Amino acid sequence: MACKEQSKEAQMSKEERLTLIEEIEDKSFGQGGEFNKTSALSLLNNYVLFADENPDDDRAAGFLFKAGDIAMGLEKGQLAIDYFDRVIDEYPEYEKVAYSMFLRAFVYENQLKDLDKASKAYRDFIKAYPDHDMTEAAQFSLQNLGKSPEQLIREFEQNNATPAQN
């Protein structure tokens, strides 16, 4: 039954796919809709299928970005990076390319624990977007890569300690 459902989803027209995406979004994000793993995966798959089937549509980049965001939320780090990379590579003019670059670095650091790739990704982001809203966060992350929360707290406390008064 699930295979039948997947093949049905793969054979939709553009309008049918958009309608299905809207239905899943409404169920997932609408009033009282509970977002669960099954609906999240269905939404992610339909976003990607739409982008694959309609790469020139203005919505394709946004759907890939949303797919990356969902994959990140489901802790499917490599999948999230794949979608963010597609946004960056296939839609360089898309308004959220910078966020895709930042989130790629974030996923490398926090989900995949690949500090070398995270470092490179943060540096690439900072170089490409030195004045972006997220640049300060990228610089902070880069300076603190690999530090435990305890180390960060200790450093914060040391930097904010007031000298003893005489």
Side-chain angles (χ1 to χ4, degrees), residues 147-155:
K147 293 181 182 175
S148 71
E150 294 79 21
Q151 287 173 300
L152 292 173
I153 291 169
R154 225 174 304 126
E155 286 179 15

Coordinates of all heavy atoms in Angstrom, one line a residue, residues 147-155:
K147 N 33.9 23.6 21.7 CA 33.9 23.8 23.2 C 32.5 23.3 23.7 O 31.5 23.5 23.1 CB 34.0 25.3 23.4 CG 35.3 25.9 23.0 CD 35.4 27.4 23.4 CE 36.8 27.9 22.9 NZ 36.8 29.4 23.1
S148 N 32.7 22.7 24.9 CA 31.5 22.2 25.6 C 30.7 23.4 26.2 O 31.3 24.5 26.4 CB 31.9 21.3 26.7 OG 32.5 22.0 27.8
P149 N 29.4 23.2 26.5 CA 28.7 24.3 27.2 C 29.4 24.8 28.5 O 29.4 25.9 28.8 CB 27.3 23.7 27.5 CG 27.2 22.6 26.4 CD 28.6 22.1 26.2
E150 N 29.9 23.8 29.2 CA 30.6 24.1 30.5 C 31.8 25.1 30.2 O 32.1 26.0 30.9 CB 31.1 22.9 31.2 CG 30.0 22.0 31.7 CD 29.3 21.1 30.6 OE1 29.9 20.9 29.5 OE2 28.2 20.7 30.8
Q151 N 32.6 24.8 29.1 CA 33.7 25.6 28.8 C 33.3 27.0 28.4 O 33.9 28.0 28.8 CB 34.5 25.0 27.6 CG 35.3 23.8 27.9 CD 35.9 23.2 26.7 OE1 35.2 22.8 25.8 NE2 37.2 23.1 26.6
L152 N 32.2 27.1 27.7 CA 31.7 28.4 27.3 C 31.2 29.2 28.5 O 31.5 30.4 28.6 CB 30.5 28.3 26.3 CG 30.9 27.7 24.9 CD1 29.6 27.5 24.1 CD2 31.8 28.7 24.2
I153 N 30.6 28.6 29.4 CA 30.1 29.2 30.7 C 31.3 29.7 31.5 O 31.3 30.9 31.9 CB 29.2 28.3 31.5 CG1 27.9 28.1 30.8 CG2 29.0 28.9 32.9 CD1 27.0 27.0 31.3
R154 N 32.3 28.8 31.6 CA 33.5 29.2 32.4 C 34.2 30.4 31.8 O 34.5 31.4 32.5 CB 34.5 28.0 32.4 CG 35.1 27.8 33.8 CD 35.9 26.6 33.9 NE 35.2 25.4 33.5 CZ 35.6 24.5 32.5 NH1 36.8 24.7 32.0 NH2 34.9 23.5 32.2
E155 N 34.3 30.4 30.4 CA 34.9 31.6 29.7 C 34.1 32.8 29.9 O 34.7 33.9 30.1 CB 35.1 31.2 28.2 CG 36.2 30.3 28.0 CD 36.4 30.0 26.5 OE1 35.9 30.7 25.7 OE2 37.1 29.0 26.2

